[in-house]
Amino acid sequence: MSLNDLIFLLPEIILATGASLLLIAPVTGLRDSISAKWAMIALLIITAGSLLACSWAVPGMEQTAGFARMFALDAFSIFFKLLFLFVVAIVVLLSDDFLRESRYSTWEYYSLLGFALCGMMFMASGVHLATIYIGLELLSLSSYILAGYYKNEQKSTEAAMKYFVLGAVSSAILLYGISLIYGVCGTLNLLDIARALSTVVSNDALMFGVILLACGLCFKIAAAPFHVWTPDVYEGAPTPITAFLSTGSKAAAFAIFVRIFYVALPGFHLDWSMVLATVAALSMIVGNLAAITQESVKRLLAYSSIAHAGYVLMGIVAMNVMGLRGVLVYSFVYVFANLGIWSIVLMMKRHEYAGEKVSDFEGLHSRSPFWAFSMFVFLLSLGGIPPTAGFIGKYFLFYAAVQAGFGWLAIIAVLMSAVSMFYYLRIVVAMYLRDGKEADVTASGALKFVAAVCVVATIVFGVVPNDLIDQVSSSAKGLHNKGAVTRNATR
Amino acid sequence: MLTKLWLIPLLPFIGFVLNGLFGKRLGKAFVTGVALVSTFGAAVVGTMAAFQYHAQYPEGERYVQTVFNWFTSGSIHADVAFQLDPLSIVMLMVVTWIGALIHLYSVGYMAHEDGYWRYFAYLNLFLSEMLVLILGANYLVMFVGWEGVGLCSYLLIGFYYKTDYAPAAGKKAFVVNRIGDFGFLIAVFLMFAYLGTADFGLVSHRAAAGVDAWLLTAICLLLFLGACGKSAQIPLYVWLPDAMAGPTPVSALIHAATMVTAGVYMIARSNALYRLAPDAMMVVAIVGSVTALFAATIGIRQWDIKKVLAYSTVSQLGFMFIGVGVGAFTAGVFHLVTHAFFKACLFLGSGSVIHAMSGEQDIRKMGGLRSKIPITYWTFLIATIAIAGFPPFAGFFSKDEILGSALSSPYLPAGVRYLVWGLGSVAALCTAYYMFRLVFLTFFGDFRGTHEQEHHLHESPATMTIPLIVLATLSTIGGFALAWHHTLAKWLEPIYPKIEGRESEFAIANEVPLMIVATIIAAIGTWLAYVRFYKRGLAADESFAQSSPAIARGMENKWYVDELYEAIIVRPLEKISLFFWKFIDAIIDGLAAMLGYIVQGFGDLMRFFQTGNVRNYALMLFLGVIVFMWVIS
């Protein structure tokens, strides 16, 4: 360990320290939720600042990895870390009203959110299966508690319990996969695994390892048939936490999914691509079809997020430049559309379970035309309709699948996107064409701010996507070059 | 200013935003101020840019300024870019200055109308879009403006939205234009597909470097379809006469001087493509000449002062298309400019007449207005002489050059050359005839309106007469000035890329005899109108109806083209849509309902798995893993 290694970790160190301080702050007598919020926001800003400073201070990041090559600060990880920081910042703003109304400790809540973020940042930077796993567990354990934060609500505790039990099972599966891979390769470093595998012929132990690893990760991104927990947990968890789980936590799982498969396992692409393609197709079909019959908005969005996991998996299945960029672009634009929707859902009503039913949206247009329009934009983006940002993401992923010879998968994806428009438009129909007295918006400034930011971003990135695409291309470059090098070595 | 080309369309756009958002609240003075400052500002900035351009690029090179990259997808690259070159400067001067004058005129004309702010917001938006159209450096940006002016045209035709006919006319204009736009879009797609670009310079360059003839012919014909829609040529001219439902200054600006000439501009801009596709040029020339004559004959027997001018516009646009169709692009653009002068003057003059007549548009109820509204009379008369084609007024030079070029065009076979020239010459005869008929019926003889109207007769305010005087002056000297020493021809020379064996300028044989013939034709038309209408007034129209009733009725009813379209296009379409609605839709509905049941069933299946029981969930997880492991091994 050298000083350089510490610089690599500076943002995470600051964040972890800060989160610990948040946890013990109430001891000093600070109890009110407002100072907790500002303390959390300050922590996020300092972390982001230190991250940018570090990335600037460590040049040529593609080659560098600290702590015995377990932790990399490359463009790929910085892209995701900034995205995570953004997500958590938004979640803090979304949580404001919820925390003020409930009597649960605000400081603990933010502290857990901070630790979850810390885990996500480790996941983004991990180039070693151990680092990745520890990051994942840090995220998951914090998430379990946050999902059950309505301690007195049966639904919430039930969600947390289910999430914890099934999460533990999936972690076990994941660990078993990792151990099998270690057995074959004798290393957990992703690049070393790729190097070791270049001399190995396909064998059952290795394949079992890869499949177990993939299944464990599929649980984390909520892909079918490992998705069963999702609707129950998304429904039961406090809405801001649902927003967090469906955006930040998911994006983090995609980050490690991409890194593991692009860096360590490109040589066995033919073996695992069919399995993941099946998972992708299943997720799209199950998610979209099941969403149609849902009455609860939270369950509907849970199923829709299962479908979206299927779309993103196409980018991993494709295993080409387009696919890699597609995963990044999609994670990015999906965050805005999704957080925007959750902010509108939170605006709708402000008791414990907000915006429960599709019918709650009836007549929103006549009462708050701008927020109805924003909701419309977010739904269009999720459906992938231009000129919203969602279209750009889908365009990359579908194109990648076609390029890689998975035309059938792209066809399923397009058909299922059409199906998805059906249930997205159900909400639009409720907002614009139905009369209702229920839909009242009692928006706080923070929620309005979030929704406005998201709607602007969703439109801007849809109309002028070039800056985003350039950014993503340079962020993905390092990762893909490594992949390409390894693949050449395999041949 | 040259480096800030985007400012030129932006200024009227800001005017649009300000008037559209705040105009209603802040009142007339604010609206007037914003509208005039933004349009005259655009004119001044445009003129400064033109001078700077000429100082920096005396050879007339193309100056392109990329504002930002619009999108890049694979090999397709599109920029939002503006350009200046001699052709766009000609258009810029016409559009900004005439646009500014007509804004000034509108201040007087619209003073008593409701929706004053709405009118100026639309008019400013129009000017902005028109500037985008002519300053765009590629076909895509041009198309943005092309659609934008179409939208404004629709909005302004339907300005009097409480009437029955105005919204219908707006809709008709929009729908007919869509047919043309379809052609334009397909042409742009073909360019992207086969030439890989839509940039004006690159398209010309790559086309000249050798492309299949069929492709160029297809692109040119499709572009011409677009031009037919926007510039009201057969078979898509039907919307323009109806468009007179809009306020008169709108007819002058949009439906005479600027927007409708966009098609001519576009073809002149695409001259490199057309010169390589003589077949397409022949189509353009023939359609132009037939339209010129066809519309002129209808103009002979209309009684609505604006309808006469509308058919006259269609006819004159036909002349411009003869020009660009025979390869005399400069002559086409020349006529575009002179036409903008005299036709804007005529329309504004008719507006002044209508203003004086308290809204009356029927010339059967006018007469003897000469002494009552002298400024309007004199300017109208000058513009009439100009359009009829008497030397040395503006129309003479451009029309003469077009017809002369038609006879000596190297692109067309001899038979077609004579046909086009013949049709054009007869159309010129008709032009002189119907225009002087209009003058004699309106300004000479006895007043035929009501006492009320006679009592209210008055000359228009200065904001209306000043534009008339300026335009009449331009109609007098504009043609001579631009033809003197071939000023315009030399100025436009750089826009024609050199293509081996495809001249952009050709010598007109027998120039002086042709000029004399043209003058005699105009004189005959005028003399006929004088004999019939100066002396006998409306009685001449009646005796014509008696002597040849079939022709008279045909002209009166616009040769039944609207009825023909109704019978062969609109009604069959309605029947087909009815069939789809009642029959095909029912089948699809049935299928969709079936899909619903399937989905419902699937949902039930899902619910079966979604027990909410953790043990079942864990079991499913393991089953998933096991199935995949079994598949892979």
Side-chain angles (χ1 to χ4, degrees):
Chain A
M1 196 176 89
S2 67
L3 190 66
N4 231 7
D5 290 348
L6 281 179
I7 290 176
F8 272 47
L9 270 184
L10 188 62
E12 282 79 3
I13 292 171
I14 290 173
L15 183 60
T17 316
S20 312
L21 288 176
L22 283 178
L23 194 59
I24 55 171
V27 178
T28 63
L30 273 170
R31 294 206 153 269
D32 60 317
S33 61
I34 293 166
S35 41
K37 181 178 81 176
W38 290 115
M40 181 66 181
I41 288 174
L43 177 60
L44 291 175
I45 290 170
I46 295 169
T47 311
S50 66
L51 177 64
L52 290 173
C54 288
S55 66
W56 175 75
V58 182
M61 288 164 298
E62 290 84 30
Q63 290 82 33
T64 48
F67 284 97
R69 298 171 59 237
M70 292 177 88
F71 188 94
L73 189 67
D74 51 6
F76 175 83
S77 65
I78 289 168
F79 174 86
F80 271 105
K81 284 180 189 180
L82 287 174
L83 187 63
F84 299 155
L85 278 160
F86 174 78
V87 169
V88 171
I90 295 293
V91 170
V92 169
L93 293 178
L94 293 182
S95 309
D96 209 17
D97 293 331
F98 148 70
L99 286 168
R100 204 175 307 138
E101 278 169 27
S102 64
R103 275 165 288 103
Y104 310 121
S105 163
T106 314
W107 293 89
E108 271 173 33
Y109 180 88
Y110 287 134
S111 166
L112 285 166
L113 215 47
F115 284 121
L117 176 60
C118 194
M120 284 151 75
M121 288 172 68
F122 267 99
M123 287 160 78
S125 272
V127 286
H128 190 279
L129 286 174
T131 329
I132 291 173
Y133 179 76
I134 289 169
L136 182 61
E137 280 306 295
L138 183 53
L139 166 66
S140 300
L141 289 168
S142 314
S143 303
Y144 302 148
I145 307 171
L146 285 169
Y149 215 73
Y150 280 133
K151 285 162 213 154
N152 302 331
E153 286 287 334
Q154 199 200 331
K155 253 181 169 176
S156 181
T157 37
E158 187 186 322
M161 196 61 204
K162 280 181 188 167
Y163 194 19
F164 172 67
V165 171
L166 296 171
V169 169
S170 81
S171 288
I173 295 173
L174 188 75
L175 268 184
Y176 193 24
I178 290 174
S179 71
L180 281 174
I181 290 174
Y182 182 77
V184 176
C185 305
T187 174
L188 286 178
N189 181 288
L190 296 181
L191 276 174
D192 292 344
I193 291 175
R195 211 163 292 138
L197 289 183
S198 62
T199 55
V200 170
V201 213
S202 174
N203 61 57
D204 277 356
L206 176 66
M207 274 305 114
F208 281 175
V210 172
I211 294 301
L212 288 168
L213 180 69
C215 290
L217 289 173
C218 284
F219 173 90
K220 301 292 177 196
I221 62 167
F226 311 101
H227 67 284
V228 270
W229 58 277
T230 323
D232 294 6
V233 173
Y234 279 21
E235 193 185 15
T239 309
I241 295 306
T242 312
F244 172 72
L245 292 179
S246 67
T247 52
S249 155
K250 223 171 175 170
F254 280 126
I256 57 172
F257 214 139
V258 168
R259 203 194 274 277
I260 293 174
F261 279 79
Y262 270 71
V263 175
L265 302 168
F268 291 84
H269 177 230
L270 274 180
D271 298 302
W272 53 259
S273 61
M274 272 316 287
V275 172
L276 285 188
T278 315
V279 172
L282 260 180
S283 304
M284 292 186 276
I285 293 170
V286 168
N288 282 319
L289 290 183
I292 289 179
T293 51
Q294 297 304 318
E295 276 309 316
S296 151
V297 175
K298 284 173 94 175
R299 284 186 86 86
L300 186 149
L301 288 170
Y303 280 111
S304 120
S305 93
I306 293 167
H308 286 286
Y311 301 135
V312 179
L313 270 180
M314 292 197 337
I316 297 168
V317 169
M319 190 77 211
N320 53 23
V321 183
M322 253 329 224
L324 180 55
R325 288 178 191 172
V327 174
L328 268 66
V329 172
Y330 206 87
S331 309
F332 188 82
V333 299
Y334 180 73
V335 157
F336 288 98
N338 220 343
L339 287 177
I341 286 186
W342 290 117
S343 68
I344 304 276
V345 168
L346 279 166
M347 277 183 199
M348 297 294 297
K349 259 190 246 159
R350 287 194 295 155
H351 50 76
E352 273 143 7
Y353 291 99
E356 271 279 74
K357 293 252 156 42
V358 175
S359 56
D360 289 351
F361 283 83
E362 282 173 5
L364 181 63
H365 169 67
S366 57
R367 237 150 271 124
S368 339
F370 181 75
W371 304 122
F373 171 74
S374 308
M375 186 74 177
F376 181 45
V377 170
F378 299 140
L379 291 169
L380 284 186
S381 186
L382 286 187
I385 306 290
T388 55
F391 167 74
I392 310 295
K394 280 211 169 123
Y395 169 77
F396 269 84
L397 291 172
F398 293 10
Y399 191 73
V402 173
Q403 239 182 9
F406 284 93
W408 62 271
L409 193 57
I411 290 171
I412 292 180
V414 170
L415 287 178
M416 284 302 137
S417 298
V419 170
S420 74
M421 278 324 289
F422 175 78
Y423 58 82
Y424 291 139
L425 287 181
R426 264 179 65 206
I427 301 179
V428 176
V429 167
M431 290 190 303
Y432 281 87
L433 302 180
R434 303 255 189 278
D435 280 335
K437 287 156 201 76
E438 294 302 310
D440 60 331
V441 162
T442 47
S444 70
L447 291 181
K448 282 182 181 168
F449 174 74
V450 171
V453 166
C454 289
V455 78
V456 168
T458 302
I459 293 173
V460 166
F461 288 122
V463 177
V464 275
N466 273 355
D467 284 343
L468 172 64
I469 293 171
D470 288 348
Q471 185 54 48
V472 160
S473 306
S474 61
S475 297
K477 203 184 283 163
L479 199 58
H480 195 264
N481 283 349
K482 271 179 209 164
V485 168
T486 340
R487 247 183 311 170
N488 288 341
T490 319
R491 285 201 196 104
Chain B
M1 286 304 150
L2 192 53
T3 51
K4 295 186 182 62
L5 276 184
W6 45 265
L7 196 62
I8 303 172
L10 186 67
L11 276 172
F13 190 80
I14 294 172
F16 157 67
V17 172
L18 288 178
N19 276 342
L21 289 181
F22 310 114
K24 194 175 182 181
R25 245 169 293 160
L26 295 180
K28 268 187 187 169
F30 171 79
V31 173
T32 310
V34 167
L36 292 184
V37 167
S38 63
T39 47
F40 276 91
V44 169
V45 172
T47 310
M48 286 164 69
F51 275 108
Q52 282 183 5
Y53 166 82
H54 188 55
Q56 286 182 28
Y57 302 93
E59 300 296 316
E61 299 94 329
R62 184 164 169 254
Y63 168 75
V64 180
Q65 188 193 336
T66 304
V67 183
F68 60 87
N69 174 243
W70 191 0
F71 59 83
T72 301
S73 172
S75 59
I76 293 177
H77 184 81
D79 286 333
V80 170
F82 294 121
Q83 74 166 30
L84 270 193
D85 72 348
L87 179 59
S88 52
I89 286 180
V90 170
M91 293 300 291
L92 181 65
M93 291 300 104
V94 171
V95 168
T96 52
W97 284 109
I98 292 187
L101 279 179
I102 291 177
H103 270 77
L104 180 64
Y105 177 94
S106 301
V107 172
Y109 188 85
M110 299 298 288
H112 310 299
E113 300 280 355
D114 290 337
Y116 188 78
W117 62 278
R118 194 161 55 91
Y119 173 83
F120 277 101
Y122 292 163
L123 209 60
N124 278 9
L125 180 63
F126 165 77
L127 202 61
S128 169
E129 297 293 345
M130 190 69 205
L131 288 165
V132 169
L133 194 162
I134 57 174
L135 291 176
N138 57 51
Y139 284 96
L140 278 181
V141 177
M142 188 189 216
F143 188 70
V144 171
W146 188 271
E147 289 294 293
V149 292
L151 170 72
C152 296
S153 163
Y154 162 79
L155 291 170
L156 284 164
I157 294 170
F159 181 75
Y160 298 117
Y161 61 91
K162 284 175 184 156
T163 61
D164 293 334
Y165 55 91
K171 215 191 296 172
K172 185 172 176 183
F174 202 79
V175 172
V176 174
N177 265 299
R178 293 307 308 169
I179 300 172
D181 297 345
F182 162 79
F184 191 135
L185 261 187
I186 302 288
V188 175
F189 292 161
L190 282 178
M191 287 176 204
F192 271 125
Y194 290 96
L195 302 173
T197 179
D199 177 82
F200 292 140
L202 281 175
V203 165
S204 310
H205 186 71
R206 290 185 190 166
V211 189
D212 290 347
W214 69 265
L215 175 67
L216 285 176
T217 308
I219 291 178
C220 288
L221 286 178
L222 286 165
L223 283 178
F224 181 56
L225 180 62
C228 279
K230 191 87 13 198
S231 298
Q233 295 297 292
I234 289 173
L236 300 179
Y237 73 95
V238 286
W239 65 271
L240 185 57
D242 287 26
M244 297 302 128
T248 306
V250 168
S251 309
L253 177 63
I254 302 185
H255 304 120
T258 56
M259 183 190 85
V260 289
T261 62
V264 180
Y265 163 74
M266 189 244 287
I267 290 181
R269 174 60 78 206
S270 316
N271 68 76
L273 302 177
Y274 278 88
R275 281 188 283 149
L276 290 163
D279 292 344
M281 280 176 76
M282 192 164 79
V283 174
V284 176
I286 291 176
V287 168
S289 56
V290 172
T291 308
L293 179 58
F294 184 81
T297 60
I298 299 176
I300 289 174
R301 235 181 126 68
Q302 296 295 317
W303 285 286
D304 184 325
I305 186 169
K306 285 180 70 184
K307 281 275 162 74
V308 176
L309 294 177
Y311 281 104
S312 163
T313 305
V314 175
S315 172
Q316 296 300 309
L317 288 165
F319 276 103
M320 296 174 210
F321 279 104
I322 297 177
V324 293
V326 301
F329 299 98
T330 305
V333 174
F334 188 13
H335 198 56
L336 185 164
V337 175
T338 57
H339 176 257
F341 297 156
F342 56 67
K343 189 51 69 63
C345 184
L346 286 171
F347 263 115
L348 295 184
S350 79
S352 181
V353 169
I354 295 167
H355 197 69
M357 293 287 296
S358 319
E360 182 60 62
Q361 302 197 4
D362 192 334
I363 51 173
R364 282 173 295 196
K365 299 191 178 130
M366 297 176 185
L369 298 179
R370 181 175 35 146
S371 53
K372 304 288 187 352
I373 43 174
I375 301 177
T376 308
Y377 163 66
W378 279 108
T379 51
F380 201 89
L381 182 66
I382 288 169
T384 304
I385 297 173
I387 190 176
F390 285 104
F393 290 83
F396 167 75
F397 294 96
S398 50
K399 203 183 286 183
D400 176 62
E401 201 177 324
I402 286 174
L403 290 176
S405 310
L407 268 186
S408 42
S409 167
Y411 293 102
L412 305 179
V416 177
R417 290 208 297 263
Y418 291 118
L419 174 75
V420 169
W421 181 81
L423 290 172
S425 298
V426 179
L429 179 79
C430 293
T431 308
Y433 179 73
Y434 68 69
M435 280 313 300
F436 275 100
R437 167 180 174 266
L438 186 61
V439 169
F440 290 136
L441 286 180
T442 310
F443 294 102
F444 291 82
D446 300 322
F447 187 73
R448 294 182 293 271
T450 61
H451 279 295
E452 182 102 5
Q453 284 170 333
E454 192 167 11
H455 182 68
H456 280 119
L457 277 179
H458 62 284
E459 184 60 278
S460 302
T463 52
M464 288 167 71
T465 51
I466 290 170
L468 282 176
I469 293 166
V470 173
L471 288 167
T473 314
L474 287 169
S475 304
T476 313
I477 56 167
F480 179 71
L482 289 174
W484 181 252
H485 285 310
H486 301 288
T487 312
L488 186 69
K490 277 182 197 149
W491 172 251
L492 286 179
E493 189 56 39
I495 69 160
Y496 306 110
K498 296 265 178 298
I499 303 175
E500 205 59 40
R502 316 271 170 164
E503 302 85 350
S504 56
E505 285 300 318
F506 34 86
I508 299 173
N510 302 322
E511 201 162 353
V512 176
L514 278 175
M515 279 184 177
I516 295 169
V517 170
T519 315
I520 291 174
I521 287 174
I524 293 175
T526 312
W527 178 72
L528 279 174
Y530 174 76
V531 174
R532 296 173 65 81
F533 295 99
Y534 180 68
K535 304 215 162 129
R536 297 166 59 199
L538 271 181
D541 268 343
E542 279 153 32
S543 69
F544 178 51
Q546 274 158 15
S547 61
S548 34
I551 297 178
R553 225 175 309 127
M555 289 177 168
E556 220 171 300
N557 291 301
K558 310 147 200 165
W559 300 117
Y560 298 101
V561 172
D562 277 334
E563 286 77 4
L564 182 74
Y565 283 0
E566 175 84 21
I568 62 167
I569 298 172
V570 179
R571 263 193 238 124
L573 255 180
E574 273 173 1
K575 285 204 181 108
I576 294 171
S577 76
L578 205 68
F579 169 74
F580 272 96
W581 175 34
K582 291 287 183 199
F583 188 68
I584 304 282
D585 239 28
I587 296 177
I588 295 175
D589 274 355
L591 283 175
M594 212 167 75
L595 260 179
Y597 288 121
I598 295 172
V599 169
Q600 203 86 45
F602 187 86
D604 291 341
L605 188 72
M606 281 291 100
R607 211 161 291 153
F608 175 74
F609 285 114
Q610 208 72 42
T611 52
N613 191 323
V614 186
R615 277 163 296 173
N616 294 353
Y617 288 0
L619 182 67
M620 278 188 70
L621 259 166
F622 279 118
L623 279 178
V625 173
I626 288 165
V627 168
F628 283 126
M629 286 171 69
W630 176 66
V631 167
I632 200 100
S633 59

